[in-house]
Amino acid sequence: MSVLTLRLAGPLQSWGSSARFARRTTESAPTKSGVIGLLAAAAGVERGDDEALAALSGLRFGVRIDQPGSRVRDFQTAHHGVTGASMPLSERFYLADAVFVAAVAGETGLLTRLHAALRAPAYPPFLGRRSCPPAQPVELGVREADSLHQALTDEPWQAAAWYRRRHRDEAMVSLTVLREADEDEDEHDADHQRDQPLSFAAERRRHALRTVVSRTVDVPNPDVVRQRAGRPRHEPLDALEESV
């Protein structure tokens, strides 16, 4: 199985799946609709091209929470672009200082083209909203893995250095993975999220329900590995042997 992995990190992110009107909420992790929209923009897919969108929506999706961040709230005012009339005050929520690893699995050729598109995007990528640009290039690469879960387990921990220091005594860190269930997987603890994109056209945006399971994976802490590798060997009994 081929898997394209992405690092989604920036000062602010916002991944809405049920936001309406003047209250725009965010999920605690990137949505499939938001990440597919990012890939579609990079590939130059127009909003009304439902056929091209269907090929991207068919990719299996998962996300790993490497650094959960914190939720912040903002208030915004706006004026109508034609009449100049004041619009209602809107309440908007964001994730600050969050880092995620997102992964899509599918046909190798399609993922290779998407990887190339991310390196030279037709439209700039953003993390859920146009006001949320990524802090660095999002592509990590195309991998071969036994499963989507395995790809999200094998990808190195992507948290920021200041956040990793909080876990400097942990050789392994436990991270939450939210992904689409495998065909033979028990879904008794699954959730459903309306973020399976069917159309991005402005006049007919449509999304379907998607089954999501939550799992925990253990990922090596690279800082602990480096610290131990550089630490000099200390054996107190060596001094007794030298004195004999």
Side-chain angles (χ1 to χ4, degrees):
M1 173 185 290
S2 295
V3 181
L4 171 63
T5 53
L6 314 172
R7 184 180 191 269
L8 305 177
L12 293 175
Q13 306 185 38
S14 187
W15 307 95
S17 64
S18 59
R20 293 291 186 273
F21 309 111
R23 183 178 172 84
R24 303 298 179 91
T25 59
T26 179
E27 300 295 328
S28 59
T31 60
K32 182 173 184 179
S33 177
V35 173
I36 293 299
L38 183 153
L39 295 172
V45 176
E46 300 298 331
R47 282 190 172 274
D49 191 346
D50 292 347
E51 182 177 351
L53 174 61
L56 299 181
S57 298
L59 298 170
R60 298 192 64 245
F61 174 73
V63 62
R64 191 181 74 191
I65 303 175
D66 283 31
Q67 183 175 317
S70 57
R71 195 177 301 265
V72 297
R73 181 174 61 173
D74 184 32
F75 293 98
Q76 295 188 11
T77 59
H79 292 80
H80 194 281
V82 177
T83 65
S86 296
M87 305 295 287
L89 180 69
S90 64
E91 185 181 21
R92 307 198 177 201
F93 292 83
Y94 300 86
L95 297 175
D97 294 326
V99 180
F100 305 98
V101 171
V104 289
E107 191 266 324
T108 304
L110 174 58
L111 297 182
T112 301
R113 292 191 295 273
L114 290 174
H115 183 216
L118 288 170
R119 296 175 67 87
Y123 300 106
F126 50 88
L127 306 178
R129 292 192 189 140
R130 286 193 177 91
S131 60
C132 302
Q136 57 187 277
V138 300
E139 81 280 358
L140 290 174
V142 178
R143 318 272 194 258
E144 292 299 320
D146 294 335
S147 64
L148 184 64
H149 184 86
Q150 189 62 48
L152 288 168
T153 302
D154 293 343
E155 193 65 45
W157 194 25
Q158 299 294 321
W162 65 266
Y163 185 81
R164 296 199 308 268
R165 284 195 291 271
R166 297 182 177 180
H167 302 266
R168 58 179 174 268
D169 296 328
E170 302 174 31
M172 304 290 288
V173 290
S174 295
L175 306 176
T176 299
V177 166
L178 305 172
R179 58 172 176 78
E180 297 174 1
D182 296 330
E183 293 181 358
D184 58 348
E185 193 169 20
D186 185 5
E187 299 182 10
H188 74 279
D189 59 345
D191 197 3
H192 295 87
Q193 193 167 345
R194 190 174 293 278
D195 67 345
Q196 175 71 25
L198 302 177
S199 176
F200 284 148
E203 68 278 8
R204 60 175 192 283
R205 292 187 183 184
R206 293 182 295 123
H207 296 80
L209 286 173
R210 182 175 64 92
T211 302
V212 180
V213 296
S214 177
R215 300 289 184 262
T216 300
V217 299
D218 292 328
V219 178
N221 185 342
D223 291 346
V224 172
V225 173
R226 286 194 292 267
Q227 179 181 349
R228 289 179 176 175
R231 182 182 298 169
R233 178 178 176 273
H234 176 63
E235 177 52 64
L237 296 181
D238 286 349
L240 295 178
E241 294 176 0
E242 293 174 0
S243 63
V244 174

